[in-house]
Amino acid sequence: MLNLPTSPRRRRPSLTPMIDVVFLLLVFFMLVARFGGTEGLSLLLSSTEGGSAYSGPLRLISVLPQGVTLNGQPVTDLPGALAPLMASPQDIVVVRPAPGTGVARLIEVLETLRKTGLTGLTVVE
């Protein structure tokens, strides 16, 4: 009888190296991910429950993609133009983004106002 060479039995690949790589990737992404550390803007609620009632002269800031207006008039120095209308830094200032204005632009104006000490900022649609 003729003995033919038998093919070697195929070994199944080990999954251990693949599992090790997956765990290393998991640990890597957990270490480089940013958990928390997000910044927020504190704004007044549009109702009077969260803040004081509106009083004093009109203080409406419209944020445009390229500039701002105060009570419908274009201004270049917003804090300087707003100062005569303010009795205190806690007075309510209404900020409204114009159509087409990005969120980054709105936040830029809000941060500028916040740096001048204003705390009564309210955003409306």
Side-chain angles (χ1 to χ4, degrees), residues 2-94:
L2 187 61
N3 284 342
L4 295 173
T6 60
S7 63
R9 291 175 43 123
R10 291 188 158 225
R11 289 182 13 162
R12 297 174 68 189
S14 174
L15 294 179
T16 305
M18 185 177 71
I19 293 171
D20 290 343
V21 168
V22 168
F23 279 119
L24 284 174
L25 287 172
L26 178 67
V27 169
F28 171 78
F29 285 113
M30 285 176 59
L31 291 175
V32 299
R34 292 184 60 192
F35 295 110
T38 58
E39 296 181 25
L41 293 172
S42 60
L43 300 172
L44 291 176
L45 300 173
S46 59
S47 68
T48 58
E49 294 174 22
S52 60
Y54 192 89
S55 65
L58 180 63
R59 297 176 292 268
L60 174 64
I61 298 172
S62 294
V63 180
L64 307 170
Q66 300 296 324
V68 293
T69 63
L70 175 61
N71 297 332
Q73 301 299 316
V75 293
T76 54
D77 179 26
L78 185 58
L82 196 57
L85 302 174
M86 304 290 293
S88 73
Q90 294 82 20
D91 286 347
I92 295 176
V93 177
V94 179

Side-chain angles (χ1 to χ4, degrees), residues 114-125:
R114 176 121 10 217
K115 287 179 184 175
T116 62
L118 299 178
T119 58
L121 302 174
T122 302
V123 177
V124 295
E125 184 176 4

